[in-house]
Amino acid sequence: MDTDVVIAGAGPAGLTLACELAIAGVRTILLEREERRPAFCRGYNLNARSLDAFDRRGIADRFIAEGVKVPAAHFGGLPGPLDIGGLGWDHPYTLGIAQTRVEEILEDRAVELGVDLRRGQAVTAFDQDSNGVTVSNEIRAQYLVGCDGSRSAVRKLAGIDFPGTPNTRYAMIGDVETDLTPGRHGGVFVIPRPGYVRVVVADPMVDRAEPITLALLNSTVDEALGRHVELANPRWLTRFGNAARQAADYRSGRVLLAGDAAHIHPPAGAQGVNVAIADAMNLGWKLAAAVHGWASGALLDSYHRERHAAGARVLLHTQAQGLLGGDDLGPLRDLFAELSRLDGVGRFLAELTTGVETRYEMGEIVGHPWLGRMAPDIPLVIDGRAAGVAELLHGGRGVLLDFGVLDHPPLERVDMVRAEPLREVPVGAMLIRPDGHIAWLATTDGRAEPGPLAAALERWFGLVPV
Ligand SMILES: Cc1cc2nc3c(=O)[nH]c(=O)nc-3n(C[C@H](O)[C@H](O)[C@H](O)COP(=O)(O)OP(=O)(O)OC[C@H]3O[C@@H](n4cnc5c(N)ncnc54)[C@H](O)[C@@H]3O)c2cc1C
């Protein structure tokens, strides 16, 4: 083998995955088709869940230091954003930060960790057999991961179906300068960016082949507003559609997919970067376990099961958000806006749109509300020292966190930590996977969920009881 894993594509998915593999001691070659990152910037946010994930690797501050904290999320541009400041989350805000900066910070970390990043090299072919994958006729690896975006060559070459719905509506985007104030102006959305605004307007699609020029965007905006406004200094002009598709399988043998390669959805709700990061966090430790030879086939298959289900939720709510923005749905939008202000509904929508609701299935019994969810960053005292749950995961290993109810011998692959929680917690102990999700817990009255600890250690860490 020339390396353990080849990743195609150095966007948010590929870079996050490369970092995850590196901290797990997996040799990785990251092949990126482009010599350099494009000058334009697609996304502009990290949501609460992405910040939680980066915090569990000790790098959230690198992003937070450069972004703008907005204690709100929104759903389909409904009037009255969702207030997330009071929801008690570890990061109760959305971070405004350019996707290009997110990628640069991740790339610096990947290089710091020793990832072999090769720019200007596209994956154009591969062959897989029972022992490995040969990529572009030259690199032999145990696994190949397609993080190569919505038109993924890896997905197509692997013959993985991409079912869903095609584009039926398009919108134009222009990153420009204008006197229009941020907000919604009838059918024109104006989104603030540093030094410019992003203007979004429905594309009448007279001729799809017609390239978007400033004049075309300007006349479309004028028509939607019923008056002339000046748009100037375009940085990026493009159009996007409302297609929603999901790979039928996120894994085909030794080939896996993550990020846009595995799912596409309308940009409403600003999800893509964040779901890509969540995919990579879920896949990284499982793939590392497979490379190191202690993962059961079921562990790697749980990547598809867990992330396909989470991706389906993203398709659901981004499509709903896209529809709510439609011109002909005014009454539905008004009604939905009223509903979103009802007790608990705002929280539900905020958890949905930030991925905070994500709960993986951990067994038959899913009674305890924490099981399967990301462990909160509970403040702790460990041997007289102040700490937090998030920092226990910086090394990317599993953690068996005991608040004084267990008597367990030391474990391979899992750090055992005895701690005192500094706030009231509804658990006596928890087994936390490297991605921060709770795989097993003991309640304060001594019940074990979803079953014996030994079964969870075997399922997630390949630790067979002796
Ligand atoms: C207009 C617009 C606005 C958006 N706004 C937001 C937002 O506000 N928030 C948000 O979270 N998301 C947003 N998104 C979505 C977000 O940009 C994507 O979902 C995200 O970039 C997906 O990350 P990825 O790593 O999966 O893929 P990509 O970022 O697309 O990265 C794929 C990489 O693979 C490379 N590549 C392609 N083919 C090959 C190959 N054969 N071999 C090697 N390399 C290859 C590409 O050059 C690229 O670098 C927006 C998207 C658009 C279009």
Side-chain angles (χ1 to χ4, degrees):
M1 295 286 167
D2 301 306
T3 189
D4 298 320
V5 175
V6 172
I7 300 173
L15 288 164
T16 306
L17 180 63
C19 293
E20 285 298 289
L21 292 172
I23 60 167
V26 171
R27 295 174 305 149
T28 303
I29 296 177
L30 176 50
L31 299 177
E32 165 55 49
R33 182 184 60 194
E34 305 299 327
E35 292 283 359
R36 56 189 66 83
R37 196 161 281 118
F40 59 81
C41 176
R42 286 177 289 169
Y44 208 90
N45 75 317
L46 286 178
N47 67 23
R49 186 37 45 105
S50 297
L51 295 170
D52 293 345
F54 289 146
D55 204 15
R56 277 138 190 82
R57 295 295 179 263
I59 58 167
D61 288 345
R62 300 187 191 187
F63 302 91
I64 293 169
E66 295 195 23
V68 179
K69 293 180 186 176
V70 183
H74 77 85
F75 194 85
L78 291 177
L82 305 167
D83 177 6
I84 55 178
L87 293 183
W89 295 351
D90 292 349
H91 298 92
Y93 50 86
T94 303
L95 191 74
I97 182 169
Q99 177 175 342
T100 40
R101 238 351 250 151
V102 169
E103 290 175 11
E104 281 163 6
I105 293 170
L106 286 171
E107 183 170 324
D108 287 349
R109 168 153 161 101
V111 172
E112 255 171 49
L113 292 170
V115 171
D116 181 355
L117 169 61
R118 302 182 187 178
R119 287 194 165 272
Q121 293 193 30
V123 171
T124 50
F126 67 81
D127 274 314
Q128 66 163 315
D129 53 55
S130 56
N131 296 319
V133 191
T134 306
V135 181
S136 301
N137 290 325
E138 51 181 296
I139 307 172
R140 183 81 178 150
Q142 292 195 47
Y143 291 93
L144 166 66
V145 188
C147 297
D148 49 345
S150 55
R151 297 194 172 95
S152 172
V154 173
R155 185 185 69 231
K156 290 174 190 159
L157 290 165
I160 297 175
D161 279 350
F162 202 40
T165 51
N167 288 316
T168 54
R169 290 184 294 141
Y170 289 85
M172 290 183 195
I173 279 191
D175 287 347
V176 297
E177 289 169 35
T178 175
D179 289 339
L180 273 177
T181 50
R184 183 174 187 160
H185 303 265
V188 180
F189 292 85
V190 180
I191 303 162
R193 294 275 187 269
Y196 66 97
V197 293
R198 171 162 291 178
V199 173
V200 184
V201 63
D203 186 350
M205 287 289 289
V206 180
D207 177 5
R208 216 199 127 189
E210 189 181 2
I212 298 194
T213 58
L214 185 62
L216 177 63
L217 177 70
N218 215 145
S219 63
T220 311
V221 166
D222 288 355
E223 198 158 317
L225 292 173
R227 66 188 168 92
H228 176 66
V229 292
E230 197 68 32
L231 306 182
N233 297 333
R235 289 161 165 78
W236 187 38
L237 300 169
T238 188
R239 53 165 55 93
F240 65 86
N242 63 341
R245 296 183 178 277
Q246 215 179 351
D249 256 304
Y250 283 21
R251 176 183 180 193
S252 168
R254 292 181 168 272
V255 179
L256 297 112
L257 302 175
D260 277 10
H263 39 70
I264 55 166
H265 45 77
Q271 295 293 309
V273 169
N274 298 283
V275 196
I277 290 165
D279 284 350
M281 294 297 295
N282 187 290
L283 177 58
W285 67 280
K286 295 174 181 173
L287 192 55
V291 166
H292 293 315
W294 56 261
S296 64
L299 182 65
L300 205 45
D301 284 337
S302 74
Y303 168 64
H304 166 85
R305 198 183 59 248
E306 294 180 349
R307 292 310 303 167
H308 191 277
R313 297 288 282 168
V314 174
L315 262 65
L316 172 75
H317 73 76
T318 51
Q319 287 177 287
Q321 293 192 64
L323 286 172
L324 280 173
D327 270 345
D328 44 354
L329 292 181
L332 189 59
R333 190 164 53 240
D334 293 345
L335 189 64
F336 216 91
E338 269 189 48
L339 287 173
S340 72
R341 288 191 284 274
L342 293 182
D343 261 4
V345 178
R347 172 185 280 268
F348 172 84
L349 292 175
E351 290 190 353
L352 177 65
T353 190
T354 54
V356 166
E357 68 151 18
T358 301
R359 183 177 190 185
Y360 300 133
E361 182 270 313
M362 295 294 168
E364 289 300 308
I365 305 163
V366 286
H368 195 288
W370 279 23
L371 192 65
R373 290 188 190 274
M374 186 172 277
D377 188 18
I378 305 159
L380 308 167
V381 175
I382 302 170
D383 293 333
R385 185 181 67 84
V389 167
E391 73 179 79
L392 301 180
L393 293 156
H394 286 183
R397 285 165 57 87
V399 173
L400 182 57
L401 179 58
D402 175 19
F403 297 138
V405 301
L406 296 180
D407 178 17
H408 203 282
L411 291 161
E412 231 186 309
R413 294 174 212 139
V414 174
D415 295 333
M416 291 185 54
V417 179
R418 172 71 73 101
E420 185 195 329
L422 287 180
R423 68 171 197 234
E424 204 176 317
V425 288
V427 294
M430 18 181 202
L431 176 64
I432 308 173
R433 307 192 317 191
D435 60 2
H437 285 260
I438 302 172
W440 173 92
L441 56 80
T443 58
T444 40
D445 58 6
R447 258 180 314 114
E449 291 193 18
L453 173 59
L457 288 168
E458 183 172 356
R459 178 176 182 192
W460 299 110
F461 297 98
L463 295 172
V464 184
V466 278

